Amino acid sequence: LEPKASVHDVRTVPGPTHTNVIFDCAVPAEYLSDKEDRGAKLLTAIRREVQKKWADHFCVIHLEPDYAHHHE
């Protein structure tokens, strides 16, 4: 969904009604503060895609800055 984003520390926690998919998503630092709200839009898109494929899975995502992209 976003070539500049990277996902790490993925884990799943199954429960009686749904499964949480928990992970960190690193994005360029400006995604967290830009007026286009790219960070929040990316989270929404990821959650939507996961729910399309697995209706009983819910994403718990920690969005974090990836400063490495700032220097590229």
Side-chain angles (χ1 to χ4, degrees):
L1 296 173
E2 172 54 63
K4 292 182 180 179
S6 64
V7 171
H8 61 95
D9 295 335
V10 179
R11 57 223 179 263
T12 59
V13 180
T17 60
H18 66 277
T19 296
N20 282 331
V21 182
I22 305 165
F23 57 93
D24 298 332
C25 181
V27 295
E30 64 269 14
Y31 280 36
L32 302 175
S33 60
D34 67 12
K35 291 179 182 175
E36 297 158 16
D37 212 11
R38 287 180 285 182
K41 287 178 182 175
L42 177 59
L43 294 184
T44 299
I46 292 169
R47 288 183 176 116
R48 184 176 45 243
E49 290 302 313
V50 168
Q51 287 252 278
K52 272 197 237 177
K53 189 159 179 100
W54 302 285
D56 64 342
H57 285 57
F58 295 90
C59 291
V60 179
I61 308 167
H62 174 248
L63 194 63
E64 61 186 21
D66 179 358
Y67 293 107
H69 283 287
H70 183 69
H71 300 292
E72 288 180 359

